[in-house]
Amino acid sequence: MEAAPALDSPPTEMQAYASSVLLRTVVIGLTAFLTVVDLFATQAILPSLTRAYRVTPAAMGFAVNASTMGMAAAGLIVSVLSQRIDRRFGILVSLALLSIPTALLAIAPDLTTFTVLRVAQGLCMASAFTLTLAYLGEECSAADAAGAFAAYITGNVASNLIGRLISAALADHLGLAWNFYFFAALNLAGAVPVARAAPMEQTGAVPPSPFAAWLEHLCNPRLRAAFGIGFCILFAFIGTFTYVNFVLVRPPLSLGPMELGFVYFVFLPSVVTTLWAGRAVHRYGTRPTLWGSLALAGVGLPLLLLPNLAAVLLGMVLVGVGTFFAQAAATGFVSRAATADRGAASGIYLTCYFAGGLVGTAILGQIFDRIGWPACVAGIGLALGAAAMLAHRLKLQADPATAV
């Protein structure tokens, strides 16, 4: 773990430490961007994919978000092996392998093949995702952890914005196939610089039994609550930003493919606000930060129902800012609340988080198809409410910054 220099340290030592922190922040953000850009970019072309495969929104939504199934499984697998995997090599292999199913999606002949390839993408994405979170939890000092996790979630936010914009533009101008070829090339191009720059070698003693660590984490009521919050956050986020696409392309809004891509500038405020999550947790505590961010997302939900583009866009901004802020707070809490093997704790959290995305896609998709968008939004509100209730259980006795 890199210790911060004392206040009376020479200027060169302080500068070197500041440069090291800056480099780590950039690497963390870039790694986060590359590990999930394929997850979110495809959501921007959901209506086009639905027409191409001639299926219902619920069926296509489930297929696109099936990557969360692979991510949930990989989160557990990597949590077992995280102490035995060289972090740099693991990220390099994961991102390189990710390019294979991504490229094959361009020629997927049917929805079943498409779904299987999305699951394979999820396996690769979550491997790099979990290894990075394990590194953050184990190697960052308490003073740096909140900022590091905020940088990681900010990279995720950027992947939502930039990935969706690129995906919409490519699909609109070059066709669906070139969209997947581009992201396959991006996976390969990004793997090497991230792996070379990331200071993520495996450190510390290998625990005798990762399953014992799992049991310990699951017996911790605060961690169980955090795992449940992660489930609810992605349930709400995926539900919102999967099915709002179909609302935007239907009357009275009737947006075209490229216009739909530009809609995702709604994530731009989240790129800035998520960086403040660490400060908010340090100043106000985890629970108030979570309650405030979840309430902000909840305020945005009624706006999604109005037949006015400006109102819907504002609602999407509020939901995005609130859920990303909550995700940053919850992820950092897990790393602090775990008393041992933080890699295993991060793996369980990610499994619950991505399982929430998959379940949210399935349940809310059926609600959207059978009942309609207002009922879907109500289901999203229930998930946010459940997360707020679980936040009551979060408390770190020994950490004044997150005591409430």
Side-chain angles (χ1 to χ4, degrees):
M1 180 183 298
E2 181 182 11
L7 293 178
D8 57 352
S9 300
T12 54
E13 185 178 343
M14 295 290 292
Q15 291 171 358
Y17 176 74
S19 298
S20 174
V21 171
L22 178 61
L23 175 62
R24 184 186 63 200
T25 300
V26 171
V27 170
I28 288 169
L30 181 58
T31 303
F33 177 90
L34 291 170
T35 52
V36 293
V37 68
D38 295 279
L39 173 65
F40 298 117
T42 311
Q43 291 181 349
I45 55 174
L46 263 170
S48 298
L49 287 169
T50 301
R51 290 191 295 270
Y53 284 93
R54 299 181 180 180
V55 294
T56 65
M60 197 69 240
F62 182 84
V64 164
N65 292 310
S67 51
T68 58
M69 188 186 309
M71 298 182 90
L76 284 182
I77 294 169
V78 176
S79 72
V80 173
L81 303 174
S82 66
Q83 295 292 338
R84 298 171 172 84
I85 299 174
D86 179 90
R87 304 292 164 75
R88 180 180 285 113
F89 180 73
I91 291 173
L92 173 62
V93 171
S94 298
L95 290 176
L97 289 178
L98 176 57
S99 65
I100 298 174
T102 304
L104 291 175
L105 281 167
I107 56 173
D110 51 51
L111 192 63
T112 300
T113 305
F114 187 98
T115 303
V116 171
L117 289 171
R118 287 292 284 176
V119 172
Q121 279 188 306
L123 289 168
C124 298
M125 284 188 280
S127 298
F129 200 100
T130 307
L131 287 171
T132 307
L133 283 183
Y135 164 76
L136 294 180
E138 294 162 0
E139 301 302 320
C140 289
S141 66
D144 295 337
F149 278 102
Y152 193 77
I153 303 303
T154 300
N156 277 266
V157 179
S159 72
N160 269 272
L161 170 59
I162 299 172
R164 291 175 197 258
L165 283 173
I166 293 173
S167 183
L170 289 171
D172 191 34
H173 290 89
L174 300 177
L176 291 172
W178 279 102
N179 167 77
F180 296 112
Y181 289 140
F182 172 85
F183 284 103
L186 181 64
N187 299 146
L188 284 175
V192 175
V194 166
R196 285 177 63 86
M200 298 180 183
E201 294 88 348
Q202 177 265 333
T203 60
V206 177
S209 172
F211 299 103
W214 283 8
L215 183 61
E216 180 180 350
H217 297 323
L218 291 172
C219 288
N220 184 328
R222 294 187 296 274
L223 283 176
R224 287 201 307 271
F227 299 154
I229 290 170
F231 180 97
C232 293
I233 288 173
L234 198 60
F235 184 107
F237 179 87
I238 287 285
T240 300
F241 291 100
T242 295
Y243 297 108
V244 75
N245 290 284
F246 297 102
V247 175
L248 291 168
V249 299
R250 293 174 178 175
L253 302 179
S254 304
L255 300 186
M258 196 61 238
E259 293 172 315
L260 186 61
F262 283 120
V263 158
Y264 288 99
F265 273 108
V266 296
F267 290 120
L268 193 57
S270 299
V271 175
V272 178
T273 58
T274 304
L275 287 171
W276 301 339
R279 296 179 185 178
V281 168
H282 183 75
R283 181 171 182 178
Y284 303 110
T286 300
R287 293 190 295 177
T289 300
L290 277 169
W291 287 328
S293 57
L294 293 169
L296 185 65
V299 169
L301 294 182
L303 299 176
L304 300 177
L305 301 174
L306 299 178
N308 178 277
L309 182 60
V312 173
L313 293 180
L314 177 59
M316 293 171 70
V317 168
L318 295 177
V319 173
V321 169
T323 52
F324 278 120
F325 214 89
Q327 163 70 342
T331 307
F333 179 88
V334 170
S335 74
R336 295 188 298 274
T339 56
D341 196 350
R342 291 185 173 92
S346 295
I348 296 172
Y349 176 83
L350 289 177
T351 296
C352 295
Y353 177 73
F354 291 120
L358 183 66
V359 174
T361 300
I363 293 178
L364 295 174
Q366 292 301 315
I367 292 174
F368 181 85
D369 276 354
R370 297 172 184 273
I371 306 176
W373 178 232
C376 187
V377 170
I380 295 165
L382 289 176
L384 294 175
M389 293 179 63
L390 288 168
H392 278 281
R393 302 183 184 180
L394 302 187
K395 188 173 183 180
L396 286 176
Q397 303 291 347
D399 186 354
T402 56
V404 293

PDB file of all heavy atoms in Angstrom, residues 289-321:
ATOM      1  N   THR A 289     -25.442   9.948   2.345  1.00  0.00           N
ATOM      2  CA  THR A 289     -25.079  10.083   0.930  1.00  0.00           C
ATOM      3  C   THR A 289     -25.958   9.192   0.056  1.00  0.00           C
ATOM      4  O   THR A 289     -26.448   9.617  -0.994  1.00  0.00           O
ATOM      5  CB  THR A 289     -23.596   9.720   0.723  1.00  0.00           C
ATOM      6  OG1 THR A 289     -22.777  10.604   1.506  1.00  0.00           O
ATOM      7  CG2 THR A 289     -23.205   9.827  -0.741  1.00  0.00           C
ATOM      8  N   LEU A 290     -26.164   7.961   0.492  1.00  0.00           N
ATOM      9  CA  LEU A 290     -27.022   7.049  -0.256  1.00  0.00           C
ATOM     10  C   LEU A 290     -28.466   7.540  -0.284  1.00  0.00           C
ATOM     11  O   LEU A 290     -29.111   7.544  -1.341  1.00  0.00           O
ATOM     12  CB  LEU A 290     -26.956   5.645   0.349  1.00  0.00           C
ATOM     13  CG  LEU A 290     -25.785   4.781  -0.084  1.00  0.00           C
ATOM     14  CD1 LEU A 290     -25.691   3.528   0.784  1.00  0.00           C
ATOM     15  CD2 LEU A 290     -25.929   4.380  -1.549  1.00  0.00           C
ATOM     16  N   TRP A 291     -28.979   7.956   0.848  1.00  0.00           N
ATOM     17  CA  TRP A 291     -30.365   8.429   0.880  1.00  0.00           C
ATOM     18  C   TRP A 291     -30.560   9.634  -0.035  1.00  0.00           C
ATOM     19  O   TRP A 291     -31.554   9.728  -0.755  1.00  0.00           O
ATOM     20  CB  TRP A 291     -30.760   8.797   2.314  1.00  0.00           C
ATOM     21  CG  TRP A 291     -30.967   7.594   3.188  1.00  0.00           C
ATOM     22  CD1 TRP A 291     -31.438   6.380   2.807  1.00  0.00           C
ATOM     23  CD2 TRP A 291     -30.691   7.510   4.591  1.00  0.00           C
ATOM     24  NE1 TRP A 291     -31.477   5.526   3.878  1.00  0.00           N
ATOM     25  CE2 TRP A 291     -31.037   6.181   4.987  1.00  0.00           C
ATOM     26  CE3 TRP A 291     -30.207   8.384   5.549  1.00  0.00           C
ATOM     27  CZ2 TRP A 291     -30.896   5.744   6.298  1.00  0.00           C
ATOM     28  CZ3 TRP A 291     -30.060   7.949   6.862  1.00  0.00           C
ATOM     29  CH2 TRP A 291     -30.407   6.648   7.223  1.00  0.00           C
ATOM     30  N   GLY A 292     -29.615  10.567  -0.008  1.00  0.00           N
ATOM     31  CA  GLY A 292     -29.728  11.740  -0.855  1.00  0.00           C
ATOM     32  C   GLY A 292     -29.674  11.390  -2.336  1.00  0.00           C
ATOM     33  O   GLY A 292     -30.462  11.914  -3.137  1.00  0.00           O
ATOM     34  N   SER A 293     -28.759  10.503  -2.704  1.00  0.00           N
ATOM     35  CA  SER A 293     -28.618  10.146  -4.121  1.00  0.00           C
ATOM     36  C   SER A 293     -29.805   9.336  -4.613  1.00  0.00           C
ATOM     37  O   SER A 293     -30.297   9.546  -5.735  1.00  0.00           O
ATOM     38  CB  SER A 293     -27.317   9.367  -4.333  1.00  0.00           C
ATOM     39  OG  SER A 293     -27.271   8.211  -3.524  1.00  0.00           O
ATOM     40  N   LEU A 294     -30.326   8.427  -3.783  1.00  0.00           N
ATOM     41  CA  LEU A 294     -31.495   7.644  -4.168  1.00  0.00           C
ATOM     42  C   LEU A 294     -32.743   8.527  -4.280  1.00  0.00           C
ATOM     43  O   LEU A 294     -33.577   8.331  -5.173  1.00  0.00           O
ATOM     44  CB  LEU A 294     -31.726   6.516  -3.167  1.00  0.00           C
ATOM     45  CG  LEU A 294     -30.648   5.423  -3.142  1.00  0.00           C
ATOM     46  CD1 LEU A 294     -30.835   4.510  -1.934  1.00  0.00           C
ATOM     47  CD2 LEU A 294     -30.669   4.605  -4.426  1.00  0.00           C
ATOM     48  N   ALA A 295     -32.855   9.503  -3.378  1.00  0.00           N
ATOM     49  CA  ALA A 295     -33.987  10.431  -3.448  1.00  0.00           C
ATOM     50  C   ALA A 295     -33.920  11.258  -4.730  1.00  0.00           C
ATOM     51  O   ALA A 295     -34.948  11.514  -5.376  1.00  0.00           O
ATOM     52  CB  ALA A 295     -33.993  11.350  -2.227  1.00  0.00           C
ATOM     53  N   LEU A 296     -32.708  11.676  -5.115  1.00  0.00           N
ATOM     54  CA  LEU A 296     -32.546  12.450  -6.343  1.00  0.00           C
ATOM     55  C   LEU A 296     -32.990  11.638  -7.558  1.00  0.00           C
ATOM     56  O   LEU A 296     -33.695  12.145  -8.438  1.00  0.00           O
ATOM     57  CB  LEU A 296     -31.083  12.865  -6.499  1.00  0.00           C
ATOM     58  CG  LEU A 296     -30.763  13.779  -7.676  1.00  0.00           C
ATOM     59  CD1 LEU A 296     -31.441  15.139  -7.494  1.00  0.00           C
ATOM     60  CD2 LEU A 296     -29.251  13.958  -7.825  1.00  0.00           C
ATOM     61  N   ALA A 297     -32.596  10.355  -7.586  1.00  0.00           N
ATOM     62  CA  ALA A 297     -33.036   9.485  -8.679  1.00  0.00           C
ATOM     63  C   ALA A 297     -34.552   9.334  -8.674  1.00  0.00           C
ATOM     64  O   ALA A 297     -35.196   9.341  -9.736  1.00  0.00           O
ATOM     65  CB  ALA A 297     -32.370   8.121  -8.564  1.00  0.00           C
ATOM     66  N   GLY A 298     -35.120   9.207  -7.480  1.00  0.00           N
ATOM     67  CA  GLY A 298     -36.574   9.071  -7.373  1.00  0.00           C
ATOM     68  C   GLY A 298     -37.323  10.290  -7.881  1.00  0.00           C
ATOM     69  O   GLY A 298     -38.397  10.168  -8.493  1.00  0.00           O
ATOM     70  N   VAL A 299     -36.768  11.486  -7.663  1.00  0.00           N
ATOM     71  CA  VAL A 299     -37.403  12.717  -8.148  1.00  0.00           C
ATOM     72  C   VAL A 299     -37.477  12.720  -9.671  1.00  0.00           C
ATOM     73  O   VAL A 299     -38.408  13.274 -10.272  1.00  0.00           O
ATOM     74  CB  VAL A 299     -36.617  13.949  -7.637  1.00  0.00           C
ATOM     75  CG1 VAL A 299     -37.073  15.219  -8.342  1.00  0.00           C
ATOM     76  CG2 VAL A 299     -36.799  14.092  -6.133  1.00  0.00           C
ATOM     77  N   GLY A 300     -36.496  12.063 -10.318  1.00  0.00           N
ATOM     78  CA  GLY A 300     -36.480  12.046 -11.772  1.00  0.00           C
ATOM     79  C   GLY A 300     -37.502  11.122 -12.400  1.00  0.00           C
ATOM     80  O   GLY A 300     -37.853  11.294 -13.585  1.00  0.00           O
ATOM     81  N   LEU A 301     -38.011  10.146 -11.649  1.00  0.00           N
ATOM     82  CA  LEU A 301     -38.901   9.146 -12.243  1.00  0.00           C
ATOM     83  C   LEU A 301     -40.205   9.718 -12.801  1.00  0.00           C
ATOM     84  O   LEU A 301     -40.593   9.372 -13.931  1.00  0.00           O
ATOM     85  CB  LEU A 301     -39.197   8.040 -11.229  1.00  0.00           C
ATOM     86  CG  LEU A 301     -38.003   7.156 -10.822  1.00  0.00           C
ATOM     87  CD1 LEU A 301     -38.458   6.078  -9.861  1.00  0.00           C
ATOM     88  CD2 LEU A 301     -37.351   6.537 -12.054  1.00  0.00           C
ATOM     89  N   PRO A 302     -40.929  10.586 -12.078  1.00  0.00           N
ATOM     90  CA  PRO A 302     -42.180  11.108 -12.657  1.00  0.00           C
ATOM     91  C   PRO A 302     -41.958  11.877 -13.959  1.00  0.00           C
ATOM     92  O   PRO A 302     -42.840  11.889 -14.829  1.00  0.00           O
ATOM     93  CB  PRO A 302     -42.722  12.035 -11.557  1.00  0.00           C
ATOM     94  CG  PRO A 302     -42.079  11.552 -10.295  1.00  0.00           C
ATOM     95  CD  PRO A 302     -40.724  11.059 -10.698  1.00  0.00           C
ATOM     96  N   LEU A 303     -40.795  12.498 -14.098  1.00  0.00           N
ATOM     97  CA  LEU A 303     -40.512  13.262 -15.312  1.00  0.00           C
ATOM     98  C   LEU A 303     -40.422  12.359 -16.544  1.00  0.00           C
ATOM     99  O   LEU A 303     -40.676  12.801 -17.671  1.00  0.00           O
ATOM    100  CB  LEU A 303     -39.204  14.039 -15.151  1.00  0.00           C
ATOM    101  CG  LEU A 303     -39.169  15.076 -14.025  1.00  0.00           C
ATOM    102  CD1 LEU A 303     -37.788  15.702 -13.911  1.00  0.00           C
ATOM    103  CD2 LEU A 303     -40.231  16.155 -14.253  1.00  0.00           C
ATOM    104  N   LEU A 304     -40.065  11.090 -16.327  1.00  0.00           N
ATOM    105  CA  LEU A 304     -39.947  10.150 -17.442  1.00  0.00           C
ATOM    106  C   LEU A 304     -41.297   9.830 -18.071  1.00  0.00           C
ATOM    107  O   LEU A 304     -41.354   9.289 -19.180  1.00  0.00           O
ATOM    108  CB  LEU A 304     -39.299   8.851 -16.965  1.00  0.00           C
ATOM    109  CG  LEU A 304     -37.893   8.954 -16.372  1.00  0.00           C
ATOM    110  CD1 LEU A 304     -37.426   7.595 -15.887  1.00  0.00           C
ATOM    111  CD2 LEU A 304     -36.914   9.522 -17.395  1.00  0.00           C
ATOM    112  N   LEU A 305     -42.378  10.159 -17.381  1.00  0.00           N
ATOM    113  CA  LEU A 305     -43.714   9.828 -17.867  1.00  0.00           C
ATOM    114  C   LEU A 305     -44.355  10.944 -18.679  1.00  0.00           C
ATOM    115  O   LEU A 305     -45.394  10.745 -19.298  1.00  0.00           O
ATOM    116  CB  LEU A 305     -44.616   9.490 -16.677  1.00  0.00           C
ATOM    117  CG  LEU A 305     -44.163   8.321 -15.795  1.00  0.00           C
ATOM    118  CD1 LEU A 305     -45.076   8.200 -14.579  1.00  0.00           C
ATOM    119  CD2 LEU A 305     -44.154   7.038 -16.597  1.00  0.00           C
ATOM    120  N   LEU A 306     -43.731  12.125 -18.689  1.00  0.00           N
ATOM    121  CA  LEU A 306     -44.336  13.274 -19.363  1.00  0.00           C
ATOM    122  C   LEU A 306     -44.088  13.208 -20.876  1.00  0.00           C
ATOM    123  O   LEU A 306     -43.013  12.779 -21.308  1.00  0.00           O
ATOM    124  CB  LEU A 306     -43.771  14.578 -18.795  1.00  0.00           C
ATOM    125  CG  LEU A 306     -44.024  14.800 -17.293  1.00  0.00           C
ATOM    126  CD1 LEU A 306     -43.385  16.102 -16.839  1.00  0.00           C
ATOM    127  CD2 LEU A 306     -45.512  14.804 -16.993  1.00  0.00           C
ATOM    128  N   PRO A 307     -45.034  13.633 -21.691  1.00  0.00           N
ATOM    129  CA  PRO A 307     -44.879  13.596 -23.159  1.00  0.00           C
ATOM    130  C   PRO A 307     -44.097  14.792 -23.674  1.00  0.00           C
ATOM    131  O   PRO A 307     -44.482  15.443 -24.651  1.00  0.00           O
ATOM    132  CB  PRO A 307     -46.331  13.615 -23.650  1.00  0.00           C
ATOM    133  CG  PRO A 307     -47.046  14.421 -22.620  1.00  0.00           C
ATOM    134  CD  PRO A 307     -46.400  14.078 -21.301  1.00  0.00           C
ATOM    135  N   ASN A 308     -43.005  15.080 -23.023  1.00  0.00           N
ATOM    136  CA  ASN A 308     -42.194  16.249 -23.350  1.00  0.00           C
ATOM    137  C   ASN A 308     -40.730  15.844 -23.285  1.00  0.00           C
ATOM    138  O   ASN A 308     -40.273  15.325 -22.257  1.00  0.00           O
ATOM    139  CB  ASN A 308     -42.500  17.383 -22.368  1.00  0.00           C
ATOM    140  CG  ASN A 308     -41.664  18.615 -22.624  1.00  0.00           C
ATOM    141  OD1 ASN A 308     -40.522  18.703 -22.180  1.00  0.00           O
ATOM    142  ND2 ASN A 308     -42.233  19.583 -23.335  1.00  0.00           N
ATOM    143  N   LEU A 309     -39.981  16.082 -24.357  1.00  0.00           N
ATOM    144  CA  LEU A 309     -38.601  15.613 -24.423  1.00  0.00           C
ATOM    145  C   LEU A 309     -37.729  16.251 -23.354  1.00  0.00           C
ATOM    146  O   LEU A 309     -36.911  15.561 -22.726  1.00  0.00           O
ATOM    147  CB  LEU A 309     -38.018  15.897 -25.814  1.00  0.00           C
ATOM    148  CG  LEU A 309     -36.571  15.418 -26.036  1.00  0.00           C
ATOM    149  CD1 LEU A 309     -36.460  13.917 -25.841  1.00  0.00           C
ATOM    150  CD2 LEU A 309     -36.090  15.829 -27.425  1.00  0.00           C
ATOM    151  N   ALA A 310     -37.884  17.545 -23.122  1.00  0.00           N
ATOM    152  CA  ALA A 310     -37.059  18.220 -22.120  1.00  0.00           C
ATOM    153  C   ALA A 310     -37.278  17.607 -20.737  1.00  0.00           C
ATOM    154  O   ALA A 310     -36.327  17.405 -19.972  1.00  0.00           O
ATOM    155  CB  ALA A 310     -37.370  19.717 -22.110  1.00  0.00           C
ATOM    156  N   ALA A 311     -38.534  17.307 -20.405  1.00  0.00           N
ATOM    157  CA  ALA A 311     -38.840  16.719 -19.100  1.00  0.00           C
ATOM    158  C   ALA A 311     -38.237  15.321 -18.977  1.00  0.00           C
ATOM    159  O   ALA A 311     -37.662  14.973 -17.942  1.00  0.00           O
ATOM    160  CB  ALA A 311     -40.355  16.664 -18.897  1.00  0.00           C
ATOM    161  N   VAL A 312     -38.353  14.524 -20.034  1.00  0.00           N
ATOM    162  CA  VAL A 312     -37.796  13.170 -20.007  1.00  0.00           C
ATOM    163  C   VAL A 312     -36.273  13.218 -19.867  1.00  0.00           C
ATOM    164  O   VAL A 312     -35.675  12.456 -19.096  1.00  0.00           O
ATOM    165  CB  VAL A 312     -38.199  12.392 -21.274  1.00  0.00           C
ATOM    166  CG1 VAL A 312     -37.487  11.044 -21.318  1.00  0.00           C
ATOM    167  CG2 VAL A 312     -39.711  12.195 -21.318  1.00  0.00           C
ATOM    168  N   LEU A 313     -35.639  14.138 -20.587  1.00  0.00           N
ATOM    169  CA  LEU A 313     -34.186  14.262 -20.501  1.00  0.00           C
ATOM    170  C   LEU A 313     -33.748  14.671 -19.099  1.00  0.00           C
ATOM    171  O   LEU A 313     -32.763  14.148 -18.562  1.00  0.00           O
ATOM    172  CB  LEU A 313     -33.678  15.278 -21.522  1.00  0.00           C
ATOM    173  CG  LEU A 313     -33.831  14.899 -22.991  1.00  0.00           C
ATOM    174  CD1 LEU A 313     -33.283  16.004 -23.888  1.00  0.00           C
ATOM    175  CD2 LEU A 313     -33.131  13.581 -23.292  1.00  0.00           C
ATOM    176  N   LEU A 314     -34.477  15.595 -18.485  1.00  0.00           N
ATOM    177  CA  LEU A 314     -34.155  15.997 -17.119  1.00  0.00           C
ATOM    178  C   LEU A 314     -34.317  14.819 -16.162  1.00  0.00           C
ATOM    179  O   LEU A 314     -33.498  14.611 -15.264  1.00  0.00           O
ATOM    180  CB  LEU A 314     -35.042  17.166 -16.687  1.00  0.00           C
ATOM    181  CG  LEU A 314     -34.845  17.649 -15.239  1.00  0.00           C
ATOM    182  CD1 LEU A 314     -33.403  18.093 -15.001  1.00  0.00           C
ATOM    183  CD2 LEU A 314     -35.816  18.798 -14.925  1.00  0.00           C
ATOM    184  N   GLY A 315     -35.389  14.051 -16.363  1.00  0.00           N
ATOM    185  CA  GLY A 315     -35.588  12.866 -15.533  1.00  0.00           C
ATOM    186  C   GLY A 315     -34.441  11.876 -15.678  1.00  0.00           C
ATOM    187  O   GLY A 315     -33.967  11.308 -14.698  1.00  0.00           O
ATOM    188  N   MET A 316     -33.964  11.694 -16.911  1.00  0.00           N
ATOM    189  CA  MET A 316     -32.838  10.790 -17.140  1.00  0.00           C
ATOM    190  C   MET A 316     -31.565  11.309 -16.478  1.00  0.00           C
ATOM    191  O   MET A 316     -30.768  10.532 -15.929  1.00  0.00           O
ATOM    192  CB  MET A 316     -32.614  10.611 -18.645  1.00  0.00           C
ATOM    193  CG  MET A 316     -33.755   9.880 -19.349  1.00  0.00           C
ATOM    194  SD  MET A 316     -33.605   9.898 -21.155  1.00  0.00           S
ATOM    195  CE  MET A 316     -32.207   8.802 -21.403  1.00  0.00           C
ATOM    196  N   VAL A 317     -31.357  12.623 -16.512  1.00  0.00           N
ATOM    197  CA  VAL A 317     -30.198  13.213 -15.829  1.00  0.00           C
ATOM    198  C   VAL A 317     -30.242  12.901 -14.340  1.00  0.00           C
ATOM    199  O   VAL A 317     -29.250  12.473 -13.735  1.00  0.00           O
ATOM    200  CB  VAL A 317     -30.153  14.739 -16.054  1.00  0.00           C
ATOM    201  CG1 VAL A 317     -29.131  15.393 -15.115  1.00  0.00           C
ATOM    202  CG2 VAL A 317     -29.800  15.060 -17.498  1.00  0.00           C
ATOM    203  N   LEU A 318     -31.404  13.123 -13.727  1.00  0.00           N
ATOM    204  CA  LEU A 318     -31.532  12.918 -12.281  1.00  0.00           C
ATOM    205  C   LEU A 318     -31.355  11.448 -11.902  1.00  0.00           C
ATOM    206  O   LEU A 318     -30.694  11.131 -10.902  1.00  0.00           O
ATOM    207  CB  LEU A 318     -32.887  13.438 -11.802  1.00  0.00           C
ATOM    208  CG  LEU A 318     -33.104  14.952 -11.934  1.00  0.00           C
ATOM    209  CD1 LEU A 318     -34.511  15.332 -11.489  1.00  0.00           C
ATOM    210  CD2 LEU A 318     -32.067  15.711 -11.125  1.00  0.00           C
ATOM    211  N   VAL A 319     -31.931  10.543 -12.694  1.00  0.00           N
ATOM    212  CA  VAL A 319     -31.774   9.122 -12.410  1.00  0.00           C
ATOM    213  C   VAL A 319     -30.303   8.710 -12.569  1.00  0.00           C
ATOM    214  O   VAL A 319     -29.748   7.976 -11.744  1.00  0.00           O
ATOM    215  CB  VAL A 319     -32.667   8.263 -13.330  1.00  0.00           C
ATOM    216  CG1 VAL A 319     -32.366   6.786 -13.136  1.00  0.00           C
ATOM    217  CG2 VAL A 319     -34.141   8.531 -13.027  1.00  0.00           C
ATOM    218  N   GLY A 320     -29.660   9.222 -13.613  1.00  0.00           N
ATOM    219  CA  GLY A 320     -28.256   8.889 -13.830  1.00  0.00           C
ATOM    220  C   GLY A 320     -27.362   9.405 -12.721  1.00  0.00           C
ATOM    221  O   GLY A 320     -26.547   8.663 -12.160  1.00  0.00           O
ATOM    222  N   VAL A 321     -27.495  10.675 -12.369  1.00  0.00           N
ATOM    223  CA  VAL A 321     -26.679  11.257 -11.302  1.00  0.00           C
ATOM    224  C   VAL A 321     -26.904  10.515  -9.988  1.00  0.00           C
ATOM    225  O   VAL A 321     -25.962  10.166  -9.274  1.00  0.00           O
ATOM    226  CB  VAL A 321     -26.996  12.762 -11.142  1.00  0.00           C
ATOM    227  CG1 VAL A 321     -26.352  13.313  -9.866  1.00  0.00           C
ATOM    228  CG2 VAL A 321     -26.501  13.546 -12.346  1.00  0.00           C
TER     229      VAL A 321
END
